[in-house]
Amino acid sequence: MKDLFELGGKFFNSRLLTGTGKYSTDEIIPQVTSASESQIITVALRRVDFDSPYRSVMDYIPPNIQLLPNTSGARDAKEAIKIAQISRASGHGNFIKIEVISDNKYLLPNGYETLKATEELSKDGFIVLPYVNADLYLGRSLKDAGAAAIMPLGSPIGSNRGIRCMEMIRVLVELIDLPIIVDAGIGKPSDAAVVMEMGVDACLVNTAIASSPNPILMASAFKDAVISGRNAYLAGLGCRSSIAVASSPLTGFLNG
Amino acid sequence: MKDLFELGGKFFNSRLLTGTGKYSTDEIIPQVTSASESQIITVALRRVDFDSPYRSVMDYIPPNIQLLPNTSGARDAKEAIKIAQISRASGHGNFIKIEVISDNKYLLPNGYETLKATEELSKDGFIVLPYVNADLYLGRSLKDAGAAAIMPLGSPIGSNRGIRCMEMIRVLVELIDLPIIVDAGIGKPSDAAVVMEMGVDACLVNTAIASSPNPILMASAFKDAVISGRNAYLAGLGCRSSIAVASSPLTGFLNG
Amino acid sequence: MKDLFELGGKFFNSRLLTGTGKYSTDEIIPQVTSASESQIITVALRRVDFDSPYRSVMDYIPPNIQLLPNTSGARDAKEAIKIAQISRASGHGNFIKIEVISDNKYLLPNGYETLKATEELSKDGFIVLPYVNADLYLGRSLKDAGAAAIMPLGSPIGSNRGIRCMEMIRVLVELIDLPIIVDAGIGKPSDAAVVMEMGVDACLVNTAIASSPNPILMASAFKDAVISGRNAYLAGLGCRSSIAVASSPLTGFLNG
Amino acid sequence: MKDLFELGGKFFNSRLLTGTGKYSTDEIIPQVTSASESQIITVALRRVDFDSPYRSVMDYIPPNIQLLPNTSGARDAKEAIKIAQISRASGHGNFIKIEVISDNKYLLPNGYETLKATEELSKDGFIVLPYVNADLYLGRSLKDAGAAAIMPLGSPIGSNRGIRCMEMIRVLVELIDLPIIVDAGIGKPSDAAVVMEMGVDACLVNTAIASSPNPILMASAFKDAVISGRNAYLAGLGCRSSIAVASSPLTGFLNG
C-alpha cells in the first residue's frame, strides 16, 4: 500500500513542500520544482502582480502543482482574511497558508491572530494551514477551529538554524490528530530528515534551497532527505544504548 | 560529470557501505543490499565458516559487490595481519578493514596497533581501510603508512548514538588527503546526512539497518540519506544567520 | 553597585527560586533552602493543609523568605483565580505564580487561560508570575496584562531534560522588558548556568534538587551555578572562533 | 571530610586551573588569580624572559601558587623534554604540562610524541601532565608511562567552542584511574560545569577568562561553575524522563 500524504482531502506522493521566494531569478523555479518533486508550492500573494505586462511568479509554477498561497505581509487576522479572499477570488483555489507576523526582527507568528483567521476562513470553505509556534493548546484550538494541518516553525524564518523546537514539535506529533508540517528553520537536508524520522508528516523548505549556490541540486537533496526520513520513520529506528554493542559476536577469531 | 567514489583504485556509484552482522537471519542480506544500493560490504572473517556444510554468510552477498573483509576480533596488529592474510588466501580479495580492539566495554579502536597493521599490510599489497578514532596525527601517520582511506568512528560501535566526534572528523576532512568514511555510531539516516553534508566521502552503516524492525526499508532510507547529504555538500549550503530573514520582501501587501 | 534582582517592587540578592515539592520529607526543606540561598520559594497551595493538626509544608519555610504560592492543579483561568484569592485571604501575600495545566501527559501550560488569569489578578493587586511556553506575542500580551515577570519553561516540568526551547527564550530576553525566569526543565546546574549566561534574570529549580540523592549539596551546586551564569553574563563572554587560536604566541621557544 | 583535589602528591582545594596567556596586560594576573581562587597556574616557558630588565610574567604569579610550566612551542618529544629540563633547572619546579603541537591550524596535540616525552620525563622525576586528544588507549599508555593526570581537550585550543568530545572524555573518566583535567575549548562557565558534573576532576581555563571584557568577574564565574559542577557530581544527578512528572501530586485542589 502506498504511503500517501493526505492534505485537505487530496493525496500527494511528495511530503516536501517548496516555496518561490529568494531565488536570484524566478526562471529557475520550474527546474527546482522538478528536482524537488514537490507537489505543493507556497507563494506570497503580494508577489503576484495581477496587472503586470511582465511575467508573474505564477507563470513559473508548473501545472498540476497544488498552489498554497500564503498571507505573508499580514499583521493581523483581518489582513490575513482579506488576502485569502483576494487569493481565492483571483482563481488561486481554496488552500491558504496563514502567516500573521507583526514582529519585524524574528518574524515570529502571532498565534492568537492566526487562530482567529483560521476559524473564520475554515468556516468560509478554505483549506487552512496555519503557521505557528509549536504549542499544544494552540494546536488543539486550531484543530477545533477547522485547520487542515498545523505548520510549526523549526526556528525563525530564513535563519537556516535548524530545528530548535524539537521537543514541542514532538508533542504536537503525538497529541494532535492533524498533519504536522514543519515550516521555517530547516537549513540542511539533514534537518528535514530529523523531523521526518520523528514522525512529522511533511516539511516546507524555501530559503535553504533558494540560497544554495546550486538550488536545483539542493532541491534534489531535500527531496531525498524527506523520503529518507519518512522511510526511517515507517521502518522504525533501533534503540540507542549507552554501551557499545559489537556488530558481530566477540568470540575471538584466532583463538576461538 | 558523474560524482564517483574512488576507493583503492576502483570507482563506485554508491557512498553507502553496509555490513552483515546482527541480522535476525542472513537470508535477508540480499534484499537489504539491493535496497541500500551499497556496492561495498564488510564482513567479519570470523563469521565465515570455511568448512560448514551449511551456507556461510558469504553465500548471501550478491555478486558484483566489493567485499571488504574486516579483522573484527583482532586484539593487536599481529592478529589483524594474520586475519588479513587468511582472508586474501581464502579468495576474498585484497581489500581489508582493520579493526583492532582490546577494550571490551566501548569497543574503541587501538590506534597504535592499527597503524602497525596498516603499515605492514599496505606494503604487502593490501588496500587497507583502518577504523580509528578521529585524530589528525594518527590520520597523517596512516596516510604515510599507505592507508587507502580513514574510517573514523562517529561514536562507539553499535551504540546508535549519532555523531559525537564531529569536530575532529571535520578536521580530518579538511586536512587529510584521503577518503574519509565515517564508521560506527550512525544511528539514523539523518546522522549519515549530517556527515555527508559536511564533506565526508562515505558512510558505513550496519547496526542501524540490522536493528530496525524493517531492515529493507531502513536500508532504502540510508541510501537516500547518503545521496541527499552528498548532493547538499556538492550544491553548497546557505549560510546561517542569527536574525530571521524574510523569504519574501516585507513591504506590506495590503497597504503596499 | 550591587547586582540585585528586582521582582514585584522588591529586591533580592539571589536569582535562584526554589520549590517545596517531591522531597522525601519536608523536614529537609530548611536545610535545602539555606544551602540554596534562595529568597523566593514556590509552594502549591493545595499542599497546604489549613486544618491539619500536623505540620503543614508552610511550617518548614524559613522566615524572611518571599513566598510564591502557585496555582498548581488549576485547569482554567477561573480555578487559578480562585486559588490565588484563597491564598491571599489565607495570609500568604500577594505574589502568585499562575500555572494552568489541562494536558495530563506533558503538563504544558495553557497560554490563553494563563493570560486571562494574569489580567484579572493583576487588576486585583496581585504580583503575577505566569508560567508559559516561550512565545513572543504571548509574552507581550502578558506584559500588557500586568505580569510582573514571564516564566517560560525550559522543557516539560520535572523531566530534567535541560533547556530545549533556548532560541525562543532568547527572543523573550531580548524583546520583552520584564524579568524572565526560566522555570521547569532545568535538570543540572549547568542548565541553569547556560540560561543565566544568556541573560535570563533568574531560574526556578525544584525537581533537580529534590530528586538528587543529596538535595542539600545539590542546592548548593545550583546556588553557585546561578551566580556563575549571572557573573558570566555581566562580564561578557568572549567570541567563538572556528579556528584554534594559540593562548601564547607561536614563535618557537627553542629556535626563537 | 573535605573534597580535595590530589595532583602529583599534593592536595588542592580548587579544581580550576588557570593560565597566563592572552591578557591585555600581565598586571591583571594577580587579581584574576585571586578571583578564580585557582591554586595551579600554567605558564608557557617561552614567555619567560630570563634576562629581561623588565618584569617577566613570572613576577605576576602570586606566591603559594603551584606553577605548572608548559612546553608550548614544542613540535616533538625532544623539544618538549628540553623545555621541561630548562624549566626545572631555572627553578620552576618539577610539574610540567606537555604540549607537543605541529599542526598550525587547529593546534591539535601529537599523541605519539607526547607519550614519548611523558615516558622520559616521568622517569626523570617530573610530575607530568600530558595534553592530548581524548583516546582510551593513549590514556592507558600515558598512565603506564607515569603520567600524573590526563588533560584531554574539549575542543581545539582557544576556539571557545565548548565541549565537543564529551563521549570520549566520559570514557576516560570511567576507565582511566588518573585525574582527568579538561583543557582547551571551555568557552563558558557552563561548559566547565557540564564536564565537572560528568565526573571530570578539574578544568584548565585560560582564553575564556582572558578574552572576556571583564576577566576578573569572569574568573569568579568560572570559580563558581567548577565548584557547582563538582558538588552536583558528588550529590548525584536525578534521572531524566521523557514524560513530564508533576512536582506536586496532581489531585485537584478545588475539587479534591
Side-chain angles (χ1 to χ4, degrees), chain D residues 89-122:
Chain D
S90 307
H92 299 316
N94 66 340
F95 275 55
I96 190 79
K97 177 185 162 200
I98 307 292
E99 285 186 36
V100 180
I101 290 171
S102 48
D103 153 50
N104 287 323
K105 183 147 191 198
Y106 295 103
L107 305 178
L108 294 168
N110 186 322
Y112 183 64
E113 294 291 322
T114 301
L115 176 58
K116 283 201 295 184
T118 298
E119 200 155 18
E120 184 150 339
L121 291 168
S122 295

mmCIF file of all heavy atoms in Angstrom, chain D residues 89-122:
data_model
loop_
_atom_site.group_PDB
_atom_site.id
_atom_site.type_symbol
_atom_site.label_atom_id
_atom_site.label_comp_id
_atom_site.label_asym_id
_atom_site.label_seq_id
_atom_site.Cartn_x
_atom_site.Cartn_y
_atom_site.Cartn_z
ATOM 1 N N ALA D 89 65.549 23.369 35.705
ATOM 2 C CA ALA D 89 66.864 23.953 36.012
ATOM 3 C C ALA D 89 66.742 25.432 36.379
ATOM 4 O O ALA D 89 67.561 25.972 37.125
ATOM 5 C CB ALA D 89 67.805 23.768 34.814
ATOM 6 N N SER D 90 65.719 26.086 35.875
ATOM 7 C CA SER D 90 65.524 27.519 36.166
ATOM 8 C C SER D 90 64.802 27.744 37.483
ATOM 9 O O SER D 90 64.431 28.875 37.808
ATOM 10 C CB SER D 90 64.722 28.176 35.038
ATOM 11 O OG SER D 90 65.313 27.931 33.787
ATOM 12 N N GLY D 91 64.491 26.657 38.176
ATOM 13 C CA GLY D 91 63.853 26.812 39.475
ATOM 14 C C GLY D 91 62.339 26.804 39.454
ATOM 15 O O GLY D 91 61.700 27.218 40.426
ATOM 16 N N HIS D 92 61.755 26.362 38.343
ATOM 17 C CA HIS D 92 60.296 26.380 38.262
ATOM 18 C C HIS D 92 59.658 25.071 38.716
ATOM 19 O O HIS D 92 58.475 24.833 38.442
ATOM 20 C CB HIS D 92 59.860 26.723 36.831
ATOM 21 C CG HIS D 92 60.337 28.080 36.409
ATOM 22 N ND1 HIS D 92 60.245 29.170 37.244
ATOM 23 C CD2 HIS D 92 60.910 28.522 35.270
ATOM 24 C CE1 HIS D 92 60.735 30.236 36.629
ATOM 25 N NE2 HIS D 92 61.169 29.868 35.435
ATOM 26 N N GLY D 93 60.406 24.228 39.365
ATOM 27 C CA GLY D 93 59.830 23.014 39.954
ATOM 28 C C GLY D 93 59.712 21.866 38.975
ATOM 29 O O GLY D 93 60.158 21.951 37.822
ATOM 30 N N ASN D 94 59.078 20.796 39.433
ATOM 31 C CA ASN D 94 59.064 19.568 38.630
ATOM 32 C C ASN D 94 57.692 19.231 38.016
ATOM 33 O O ASN D 94 57.498 18.158 37.489
ATOM 34 C CB ASN D 94 59.588 18.386 39.451
ATOM 35 C CG ASN D 94 58.667 18.047 40.587
ATOM 36 O OD1 ASN D 94 57.856 18.876 41.005
ATOM 37 N ND2 ASN D 94 58.803 16.834 41.098
ATOM 38 N N PHE D 95 56.742 20.168 38.143
ATOM 39 C CA PHE D 95 55.484 19.960 37.422
ATOM 40 C C PHE D 95 55.700 20.407 35.974
ATOM 41 O O PHE D 95 56.322 21.426 35.717
ATOM 42 C CB PHE D 95 54.355 20.798 38.034
ATOM 43 C CG PHE D 95 53.664 20.140 39.198
ATOM 44 C CD1 PHE D 95 54.386 19.701 40.307
ATOM 45 C CD2 PHE D 95 52.276 19.965 39.210
ATOM 46 C CE1 PHE D 95 53.741 19.103 41.397
ATOM 47 C CE2 PHE D 95 51.634 19.374 40.288
ATOM 48 C CZ PHE D 95 52.360 18.943 41.383
ATOM 49 N N ILE D 96 55.164 19.644 35.042
ATOM 50 C CA ILE D 96 55.285 20.061 33.635
ATOM 51 C C ILE D 96 54.067 19.584 32.847
ATOM 52 O O ILE D 96 53.640 18.443 32.962
ATOM 53 C CB ILE D 96 56.589 19.519 32.992
ATOM 54 C CG1 ILE D 96 56.840 20.149 31.616
ATOM 55 C CG2 ILE D 96 56.586 17.997 32.860
ATOM 56 C CD1 ILE D 96 57.419 21.524 31.663
ATOM 57 N N LYS D 97 53.488 20.516 32.109
ATOM 58 C CA LYS D 97 52.394 20.157 31.205
ATOM 59 C C LYS D 97 52.991 19.999 29.814
ATOM 60 O O LYS D 97 53.617 20.926 29.287
ATOM 61 C CB LYS D 97 51.335 21.264 31.196
ATOM 62 C CG LYS D 97 50.192 20.991 30.223
ATOM 63 C CD LYS D 97 49.225 22.174 30.160
ATOM 64 C CE LYS D 97 48.381 22.055 28.900
ATOM 65 N NZ LYS D 97 47.767 23.333 28.510
ATOM 66 N N ILE D 98 52.804 18.819 29.263
ATOM 67 C CA ILE D 98 53.384 18.550 27.939
ATOM 68 C C ILE D 98 52.423 18.976 26.839
ATOM 69 O O ILE D 98 51.306 18.465 26.743
ATOM 70 C CB ILE D 98 53.674 17.041 27.740
ATOM 71 C CG1 ILE D 98 54.509 16.474 28.878
ATOM 72 C CG2 ILE D 98 54.343 16.798 26.384
ATOM 73 C CD1 ILE D 98 55.905 16.991 28.922
ATOM 74 N N GLU D 99 52.852 19.912 26.021
ATOM 75 C CA GLU D 99 52.141 20.256 24.796
ATOM 76 C C GLU D 99 53.090 20.017 23.643
ATOM 77 O O GLU D 99 54.143 20.656 23.570
ATOM 78 C CB GLU D 99 51.752 21.740 24.786
ATOM 79 C CG GLU D 99 50.607 22.120 25.681
ATOM 80 C CD GLU D 99 50.203 23.592 25.486
ATOM 81 O OE1 GLU D 99 50.254 24.098 24.346
ATOM 82 O OE2 GLU D 99 49.873 24.229 26.496
ATOM 83 N N VAL D 100 52.711 19.113 22.768
ATOM 84 C CA VAL D 100 53.504 18.928 21.542
ATOM 85 C C VAL D 100 52.561 19.110 20.368
ATOM 86 O O VAL D 100 51.633 18.331 20.171
ATOM 87 C CB VAL D 100 54.169 17.544 21.476
ATOM 88 C CG1 VAL D 100 54.966 17.426 20.176
ATOM 89 C CG2 VAL D 100 55.073 17.295 22.674
ATOM 90 N N ILE D 101 52.800 20.162 19.624
ATOM 91 C CA ILE D 101 51.879 20.551 18.554
ATOM 92 C C ILE D 101 52.667 20.860 17.293
ATOM 93 O O ILE D 101 53.584 21.668 17.314
ATOM 94 C CB ILE D 101 51.087 21.808 18.997
ATOM 95 C CG1 ILE D 101 50.113 21.419 20.111
ATOM 96 C CG2 ILE D 101 50.368 22.457 17.831
ATOM 97 C CD1 ILE D 101 49.440 22.585 20.785
ATOM 98 N N SER D 102 52.310 20.192 16.208
ATOM 99 C CA SER D 102 52.966 20.587 14.953
ATOM 100 C C SER D 102 51.939 21.003 13.911
ATOM 101 O O SER D 102 52.282 21.498 12.853
ATOM 102 C CB SER D 102 53.854 19.452 14.431
ATOM 103 O OG SER D 102 53.172 18.232 14.437
ATOM 104 N N ASP D 103 50.670 20.824 14.227
ATOM 105 C CA ASP D 103 49.595 21.277 13.345
ATOM 106 C C ASP D 103 49.347 22.757 13.602
ATOM 107 O O ASP D 103 48.984 23.155 14.700
ATOM 108 C CB ASP D 103 48.337 20.458 13.659
ATOM 109 C CG ASP D 103 47.058 21.197 13.328
ATOM 110 O OD1 ASP D 103 46.956 21.716 12.211
ATOM 111 O OD2 ASP D 103 46.168 21.256 14.201
ATOM 112 N N ASN D 104 49.531 23.598 12.592
ATOM 113 C CA ASN D 104 49.437 25.037 12.821
ATOM 114 C C ASN D 104 48.029 25.591 12.715
ATOM 115 O O ASN D 104 47.784 26.729 13.056
ATOM 116 C CB ASN D 104 50.336 25.795 11.847
ATOM 117 C CG ASN D 104 51.790 25.627 12.223
ATOM 118 O OD1 ASN D 104 52.108 25.593 13.405
ATOM 119 N ND2 ASN D 104 52.646 25.496 11.226
ATOM 120 N N LYS D 105 47.107 24.774 12.192
ATOM 121 C CA LYS D 105 45.761 25.321 12.011
ATOM 122 C C LYS D 105 44.886 25.095 13.234
ATOM 123 O O LYS D 105 44.267 26.027 13.727
ATOM 124 C CB LYS D 105 45.102 24.703 10.788
ATOM 125 C CG LYS D 105 43.738 25.295 10.532
ATOM 126 C CD LYS D 105 43.405 25.361 9.080
ATOM 127 C CE LYS D 105 42.146 26.198 8.880
ATOM 128 N NZ LYS D 105 41.547 25.951 7.580
ATOM 129 N N TYR D 106 44.807 23.865 13.699
ATOM 130 C CA TYR D 106 43.919 23.577 14.820
ATOM 131 C C TYR D 106 44.677 23.354 16.120
ATOM 132 O O TYR D 106 44.087 23.113 17.149
ATOM 133 C CB TYR D 106 43.019 22.376 14.488
ATOM 134 C CG TYR D 106 42.079 22.684 13.362
ATOM 135 C CD1 TYR D 106 42.298 22.202 12.073
ATOM 136 C CD2 TYR D 106 40.992 23.514 13.588
ATOM 137 C CE1 TYR D 106 41.440 22.515 11.046
ATOM 138 C CE2 TYR D 106 40.117 23.832 12.558
ATOM 139 C CZ TYR D 106 40.349 23.332 11.289
ATOM 140 O OH TYR D 106 39.503 23.653 10.270
ATOM 141 N N LEU D 107 45.995 23.435 16.076
ATOM 142 C CA LEU D 107 46.829 23.302 17.275
ATOM 143 C C LEU D 107 46.512 22.036 18.058
ATOM 144 O O LEU D 107 46.466 22.037 19.290
ATOM 145 C CB LEU D 107 46.677 24.535 18.171
ATOM 146 C CG LEU D 107 46.960 25.883 17.494
ATOM 147 C CD1 LEU D 107 46.718 27.014 18.479
ATOM 148 C CD2 LEU D 107 48.375 25.931 16.953
ATOM 149 N N LEU D 108 46.269 20.964 17.329
ATOM 150 C CA LEU D 108 45.945 19.698 17.990
ATOM 151 C C LEU D 108 47.210 19.018 18.493
ATOM 152 O O LEU D 108 48.271 19.125 17.879
ATOM 153 C CB LEU D 108 45.194 18.787 17.018
ATOM 154 C CG LEU D 108 43.818 19.329 16.620
ATOM 155 C CD1 LEU D 108 43.248 18.554 15.437
ATOM 156 C CD2 LEU D 108 42.868 19.265 17.800
ATOM 157 N N PRO D 109 47.104 18.329 19.610
ATOM 158 C CA PRO D 109 48.278 17.697 20.214
ATOM 159 C C PRO D 109 48.679 16.405 19.493
ATOM 160 O O PRO D 109 47.828 15.635 19.055
ATOM 161 C CB PRO D 109 47.809 17.375 21.638
ATOM 162 C CG PRO D 109 46.327 17.231 21.532
ATOM 163 C CD PRO D 109 45.887 18.146 20.420
ATOM 164 N N ASN D 110 49.962 16.192 19.417
ATOM 165 C CA ASN D 110 50.519 14.995 18.801
ATOM 166 C C ASN D 110 50.662 13.916 19.877
ATOM 167 O O ASN D 110 51.567 13.966 20.714
ATOM 168 C CB ASN D 110 51.889 15.353 18.196
ATOM 169 C CG ASN D 110 52.482 14.202 17.407
ATOM 170 O OD1 ASN D 110 52.345 13.045 17.806
ATOM 171 N ND2 ASN D 110 53.138 14.508 16.298
ATOM 172 N N GLY D 111 49.774 12.958 19.846
ATOM 173 C CA GLY D 111 49.707 11.960 20.922
ATOM 174 C C GLY D 111 50.954 11.116 21.049
ATOM 175 O O GLY D 111 51.433 10.841 22.164
ATOM 176 N N TYR D 112 51.497 10.719 19.932
ATOM 177 C CA TYR D 112 52.641 9.811 19.959
ATOM 178 C C TYR D 112 53.881 10.494 20.546
ATOM 179 O O TYR D 112 54.586 9.951 21.410
ATOM 180 C CB TYR D 112 52.912 9.303 18.536
ATOM 181 C CG TYR D 112 54.020 8.303 18.463
ATOM 182 C CD1 TYR D 112 53.909 7.059 19.094
ATOM 183 C CD2 TYR D 112 55.189 8.590 17.761
ATOM 184 C CE1 TYR D 112 54.941 6.136 19.028
ATOM 185 C CE2 TYR D 112 56.216 7.670 17.692
ATOM 186 C CZ TYR D 112 56.094 6.451 18.330
ATOM 187 O OH TYR D 112 57.111 5.537 18.269
ATOM 188 N N GLU D 113 54.126 11.714 20.104
ATOM 189 C CA GLU D 113 55.289 12.451 20.627
ATOM 190 C C GLU D 113 55.074 12.825 22.106
ATOM 191 O O GLU D 113 56.008 12.817 22.904
ATOM 192 C CB GLU D 113 55.529 13.721 19.796
ATOM 193 C CG GLU D 113 55.949 13.455 18.349
ATOM 194 C CD GLU D 113 57.357 12.852 18.239
ATOM 195 O OE1 GLU D 113 58.235 13.263 19.009
ATOM 196 O OE2 GLU D 113 57.564 11.964 17.378
ATOM 197 N N THR D 114 53.836 13.114 22.438
ATOM 198 C CA THR D 114 53.514 13.441 23.832
ATOM 199 C C THR D 114 53.774 12.241 24.733
ATOM 200 O O THR D 114 54.302 12.374 25.850
ATOM 201 C CB THR D 114 52.038 13.880 23.934
ATOM 202 O OG1 THR D 114 51.848 15.018 23.092
ATOM 203 C CG2 THR D 114 51.650 14.236 25.368
ATOM 204 N N LEU D 115 53.419 11.072 24.234
ATOM 205 C CA LEU D 115 53.662 9.851 25.004
ATOM 206 C C LEU D 115 55.160 9.627 25.234
ATOM 207 O O LEU D 115 55.593 9.299 26.355
ATOM 208 C CB LEU D 115 53.047 8.660 24.267
ATOM 209 C CG LEU D 115 53.267 7.270 24.853
ATOM 210 C CD1 LEU D 115 52.736 7.167 26.283
ATOM 211 C CD2 LEU D 115 52.612 6.197 23.975
ATOM 212 N N LYS D 116 55.946 9.835 24.189
ATOM 213 C CA LYS D 116 57.402 9.654 24.336
ATOM 214 C C LYS D 116 57.971 10.610 25.383
ATOM 215 O O LYS D 116 58.778 10.225 26.247
ATOM 216 C CB LYS D 116 58.107 9.878 22.987
ATOM 217 C CG LYS D 116 57.974 8.695 22.037
ATOM 218 C CD LYS D 116 59.058 8.702 20.945
ATOM 219 C CE LYS D 116 58.912 9.897 20.015
ATOM 220 N NZ LYS D 116 59.885 9.886 18.907
ATOM 221 N N ALA D 117 57.538 11.873 25.323
ATOM 222 C CA ALA D 117 58.039 12.864 26.283
ATOM 223 C C ALA D 117 57.593 12.518 27.706
ATOM 224 O O ALA D 117 58.353 12.658 28.672
ATOM 225 C CB ALA D 117 57.548 14.259 25.896
ATOM 226 N N THR D 118 56.347 12.053 27.822
ATOM 227 C CA THR D 118 55.816 11.696 29.145
ATOM 228 C C THR D 118 56.642 10.582 29.772
ATOM 229 O O THR D 118 56.997 10.622 30.967
ATOM 230 C CB THR D 118 54.345 11.248 29.010
ATOM 231 O OG1 THR D 118 53.585 12.349 28.507
ATOM 232 C CG2 THR D 118 53.771 10.802 30.359
ATOM 233 N N GLU D 119 56.955 9.597 28.966
ATOM 234 C CA GLU D 119 57.713 8.444 29.439
ATOM 235 C C GLU D 119 59.076 8.899 29.992
ATOM 236 O O GLU D 119 59.452 8.583 31.121
ATOM 237 C CB GLU D 119 57.904 7.474 28.268
ATOM 238 C CG GLU D 119 58.234 6.074 28.687
ATOM 239 C CD GLU D 119 57.821 5.068 27.611
ATOM 240 O OE1 GLU D 119 57.617 5.485 26.445
ATOM 241 O OE2 GLU D 119 57.688 3.878 27.937
ATOM 242 N N GLU D 120 59.779 9.663 29.195
ATOM 243 C CA GLU D 120 61.122 10.060 29.588
ATOM 244 C C GLU D 120 61.121 11.011 30.789
ATOM 245 O O GLU D 120 61.919 10.849 31.722
ATOM 246 C CB GLU D 120 61.831 10.722 28.395
ATOM 247 C CG GLU D 120 63.266 11.058 28.723
ATOM 248 C CD GLU D 120 64.184 11.014 27.507
ATOM 249 O OE1 GLU D 120 63.807 10.347 26.512
ATOM 250 O OE2 GLU D 120 65.246 11.661 27.541
ATOM 251 N N LEU D 121 60.214 11.964 30.770
ATOM 252 C CA LEU D 121 60.195 12.946 31.860
ATOM 253 C C LEU D 121 59.711 12.333 33.172
ATOM 254 O O LEU D 121 60.184 12.712 34.257
ATOM 255 C CB LEU D 121 59.341 14.163 31.468
ATOM 256 C CG LEU D 121 59.965 15.020 30.354
ATOM 257 C CD1 LEU D 121 58.949 16.023 29.798
ATOM 258 C CD2 LEU D 121 61.221 15.764 30.861
ATOM 259 N N SER D 122 58.791 11.394 33.103
ATOM 260 C CA SER D 122 58.346 10.712 34.330
ATOM 261 C C SER D 122 59.501 9.965 34.971
ATOM 262 O O SER D 122 59.721 10.042 36.191
ATOM 263 C CB SER D 122 57.209 9.728 34.011
ATOM 264 O OG SER D 122 56.071 10.415 33.574
#
